[in-house]
Every structure is written in C-alpha cells, then in structure tokens.
Amino acid sequence: MQLPFSLFLALRYLRPRRSFVSVITFLSILGVSLGVAVLVIVLSVMAGFSHELEKKIIGFNAHLVISNGEILHRPQNFIALAEKDPFVVGAAPFVSGPVMVEYASRITTPILRGINLDMEEKVIPIKKFLIAGSYDLEGESVIVGEEWAKHTDAYLGDKVLIYAPRHFQAFRDNFQKGKQTTILPSEFTITGIFRTGLYEYDSSYFITSLANAQYLYSLGNGVHGISIRIKDPLAASKVKERLNLQLQPPVEALTWIDQNRPLFSAIAIERIAMTFILFFIIIVAAFGLCSTLITITVQKSKEIGLLKALGARDDQVLAIFILHGLVVGICGTLIGLLIASLALYYRNSFRDFIGRHLGIDLFSADVYHFAKIPMEIDPLLVAGISLGAMTICVLAAWIPAMNAAKLTPAKALRYE
C-alpha cells in the first residue's frame, strides 16, 4: 500500500461491502454531478444569450447618443464636437419617435426613425441589414422591419398611411378655431425590408429620410439627437465622460448601456438568481453525503476505535472523512463537467430532437432570431462552480469527521 492510510481508507469507504451505504454514496456523487452540470449549462447558455444580445443591440444602435430629451437645434455643432474626439468614428443626426401607421385597414404604432443616409453609414450600417428592396429613401419612401411586414402581409411597393404629430397638431389647431376638418395622413411607399435579428426592432421600426421625419414631427432643421459610433463599444463610458464635460445641460451624452440598462439589469439579476437556486442542487447532494458519512462513522466505530488504540491521531481519523468528502466532490465535479460539455456540444441537436418528436420548440427562432442556441463558456465561472461544489462537499463531511475524531478507543471497544 503506497497511499497514506487516511486516503486509502477514504477510498475504501467509497465502496463498502454488503452495505447500502455504497448506493447512498453513488447518489451523492450523482447529485453533485447533476448540480455542477446544470449550473454550467444554464449559465453558459445565459452568457451566450447575453453576448449575442449585446452584439445585436450594438449593431442596430449607436454607441453613444447626444440628446436633450426634446429638440436639438444646430445639430452640426454637436456633430463637429463629437468628431473631435479621437475615439469617435462617425456621428449623424436622427429623428426618432412613435407614429400611427395604417395599412390594409390595420393600425400599428411603430417607431419612425429619420436618418441621413450618407452620414448614418458611418454610425449604423443599416444597409447590411437590408434583405429585400433597395437602400433608397428618396421622396416619401420607408424601409420596414421583416416582422412587421410578415404580420401585416406587406410587400415592396405597397403604400402605407402615416399619422404623425404634424397631422394631429393641424387637427387640434383647426378644432380650436372652430373649423371642421379631418386628419389627412402622409402616404409612403415601402422600398425596402430589413432584418436585425431582434424581434423588437424587426417588428416595430420604420426608417425614412431625415427630411421626411423632420417634416412629420414639425422640427424644421432640428433633430431629436446625434448618434455616435466609436472604435470600441466597451469604451463608451469614457467617451461619454469627455463629451459631457463639454456639453451644457440639459444636453448630455448617453451610452448604449445607459439606453438598455433595464434589459441588461434584468439579465444580470436572472443569472444571479439562477446561480443561487441551482446551487441548492449541490447543497442537497451534500446533505446526502453528510448522512452517508454519519452512517459510516456509526458502522465503523469499532474500526475507528481500533485505529486510535493502535496509535492513530485525531487529525488522521479526521482526514479519512474529510478526504472522503473531497473525493466525492472531485468525482462529482468531473462527471458534471463531462455531462455539461456533452450537453452544450449537442445542445442544438437535442433541441431539434425534442422539436421533431414532442412538438415543443425549446428556443423559438421566431422570437429570439437565433438560428442556434447561443453558448459562451467562461473558464473563471466554471472554475468557481467546481471549487464551490468541492468546498460544499468538504464542509458536509466536516461534522461526521469531527464526531469520528472525538471517538475514544475505550468507548468504541467497550463490548469487544
């Protein structure tokens, strides 16, 4: 026997002969394995989802926006100010707000975004999202999202009626003057259809020229804001701070994170909640391990007494059961990581199998617009889960280990 006797007995107690304890030990290892596997799988998928969501949001949104919450006059001054920053790639004016759209006797309320085509390409390359039609906003034309087109059964060349603040303002003015009038909407032609990959954008955004949007909102030469693109989206906060030092309130710069903070906060809270909840699987398995070791200490009390009578120290007896818990934790963690690796590798095949045989769409592409279930493995997160699982197993073994170490030889061998 080359192993230290504490480790030898710890491994020997994993497979006690003619005892139900071996089944309990197996269930303890299985519980730890499932806990580790579920944690790694869920958190990796959530991390992948968050990362893909960030990429899509950044793709269709500016990295920074200069706005005062109302009308921004002399937008060229703010564009010039932004482009002086060395991190800024481009800046462009925009108008954005809700409108009422009538098509085929149906009323919808999308967000109308007015852009300058030439300047916008440096900030948000909308042209790359175009899947049908032409990137043409000349005259009274509009580009619509793919989901909106599907739901309303709209096609290229169709006409839509847009009711904007300008029309309602004219109606209100005539009403106050006692004149009877009707609202006459503006008629626009669908010249293109885009797809961003996010349902929210594809179902509720219209794009038209800056001049059209300024007319519909009665802004004159004013705009709602300046969109800015920088070299590194993750450095948006630093650029924001520099710009805000030069801007006079209420004009301020906001990052893409500021504009989507509720969404990312919800994802972060959900990840924390899922981690907390799923760790209880490992804790439940640890209770099984604790009961197993308590049973072993009762069954092996004579052997423990004999060991101490032969000169075994308290710390050596303590090490037997601590090592037993550690071995269970290591085995369970390794098996759990193997299960998680296989599950993540075949995640899309499993989704397709469930869809074909049970008719359940686990990750609907119509909603999430991900052709595959996203996944991103964080080595630090995996290491933290593994270390946490092994630590819990060692702590679960501590109480029965202390009881075994305190056992006196005279009491254990009283009736021998």
Side-chain angles (χ1 to χ4, degrees):
M1 182 181 66
Q2 302 297 324
L3 295 175
F5 89 92
S6 295
L7 179 58
F8 175 80
L9 289 178
L11 296 174
R12 178 66 185 81
Y13 287 162
L14 287 174
R15 295 180 59 193
R17 295 176 182 175
R18 298 182 299 276
S19 173
F20 187 69
V21 175
S22 59
V23 178
I24 303 176
T25 302
F26 170 76
L27 293 177
S28 299
I29 294 175
L30 182 61
V32 175
S33 302
L34 291 177
V36 171
V38 171
L39 262 174
V40 173
I41 292 169
V42 171
L43 295 182
S44 295
V45 170
M46 291 185 70
F49 179 80
S50 178
H51 182 68
E52 288 295 320
L53 196 61
E54 286 181 10
K55 285 170 57 179
K56 291 183 181 295
I57 287 176
I58 292 174
F60 193 70
N61 284 281
H63 299 160
L64 288 119
V65 169
I66 295 178
S67 173
N68 61 359
E70 297 179 356
I71 301 174
L72 205 62
H73 298 286
R74 295 183 295 277
Q76 61 276 7
N77 295 341
F78 298 102
I79 293 174
L81 174 65
E83 290 180 340
K84 289 180 181 178
D85 192 289
F87 276 78
V88 172
V89 175
F94 71 89
V95 173
S96 181
V99 293
M100 287 180 59
V101 174
E102 181 181 356
Y103 175 77
S105 301
R106 296 180 61 182
I107 298 293
T108 56
T109 55
I111 302 296
L112 181 70
R113 186 176 181 88
I115 61 172
N116 181 303
L117 281 182
D118 296 331
M119 300 179 71
E120 191 71 16
E121 277 300 299
K122 298 179 181 179
V123 181
I124 305 173
I126 295 176
K127 189 175 182 179
K128 74 175 184 180
F129 298 118
L130 204 67
I131 60 171
S134 61
Y135 192 52
D136 178 20
L137 295 178
E138 291 294 329
E140 294 184 330
S141 58
V142 66
I143 298 175
V144 303
E146 180 189 30
E147 290 299 328
W148 184 90
K150 284 182 180 179
H151 292 163
T152 58
D153 200 26
Y155 298 92
L156 294 174
D158 288 349
K159 307 289 185 180
V160 296
L161 300 178
I162 296 181
Y163 298 83
R166 181 183 190 88
H167 307 111
F168 294 109
Q169 184 179 2
F171 177 82
R172 183 192 61 188
D173 293 342
N174 289 331
F175 180 80
Q176 290 176 348
K177 294 177 182 178
K179 298 180 181 179
Q180 292 186 353
T181 185
T182 57
I183 301 178
L184 298 177
S186 298
E187 186 179 67
F188 281 71
T189 303
I190 299 176
T191 57
I193 298 175
F194 68 86
R195 180 201 296 151
T196 65
L198 276 181
Y199 183 84
E200 180 184 356
Y201 296 154
D202 295 343
S203 64
S204 58
Y205 268 81
F206 276 31
I207 299 173
T208 188
S209 67
L210 183 64
N212 285 336
Q214 288 173 326
Y215 170 79
L216 292 173
Y217 269 84
S218 301
L219 298 181
N221 293 323
V223 296
H224 285 150
I226 306 298
S227 55
I228 301 170
R229 185 177 187 85
I230 60 177
K231 296 177 181 178
D232 181 9
L234 299 179
S237 296
K238 297 179 180 179
V239 179
K240 165 190 165 181
E241 293 174 0
R242 291 197 294 267
L243 290 176
N244 282 335
L245 291 176
Q246 304 175 67
L247 296 172
Q248 297 296 323
V251 181
E252 63 175 343
L254 297 173
T255 69
W256 62 275
I257 299 175
D258 296 330
Q259 298 174 75
N260 297 279
R261 193 172 298 280
L263 176 61
F264 290 115
S265 297
I267 294 175
I269 292 172
E270 187 174 343
R271 289 183 65 183
I272 294 172
M274 291 298 292
T275 303
F276 181 75
I277 292 170
L278 294 175
F279 243 112
F280 274 98
I281 299 176
I282 301 176
I283 293 175
V284 170
F287 275 106
L289 173 62
C290 185
S291 65
T292 302
L293 292 178
I294 290 174
T295 304
I296 291 176
T297 56
V298 173
Q299 289 184 342
K300 304 296 182 181
S301 58
K302 296 176 183 179
E303 287 87 340
I304 294 171
L306 183 60
L307 282 173
K308 299 192 74 172
L310 292 174
R313 301 188 305 274
D314 289 351
D315 61 308
Q316 290 176 316
V317 175
L318 180 72
I320 294 173
F321 297 93
I322 294 296
L323 289 172
H324 182 100
L326 180 61
V327 170
V328 169
I330 292 173
C331 292
T333 299
L334 293 177
I335 295 172
L337 293 177
L338 178 61
I339 294 172
S341 300
L342 292 173
L344 289 172
Y345 184 79
Y346 293 105
R347 65 191 185 281
N348 293 297
S349 301
F350 178 73
R351 180 197 65 175
D352 297 338
F353 175 83
I354 294 294
R356 285 195 304 269
H357 293 83
L358 300 180
I360 301 174
D361 196 348
L362 296 179
F363 206 83
S364 177
D366 291 338
V367 176
Y368 299 101
H369 279 281
F370 296 136
K372 298 180 180 180
I373 299 177
M375 178 270 293
E376 182 176 346
I377 297 177
D378 184 353
L380 292 179
L381 180 64
V382 174
I385 292 172
S386 303
L387 183 61
M390 289 185 285
T391 302
I392 290 174
C393 290
V394 170
L395 292 176
W398 193 267
I399 294 176
M402 290 294 293
N403 291 333
K406 291 179 181 179
L407 190 66
T408 59
K411 185 177 180 180
L413 302 173
R414 181 184 304 171
Y415 302 106
E416 295 298 319

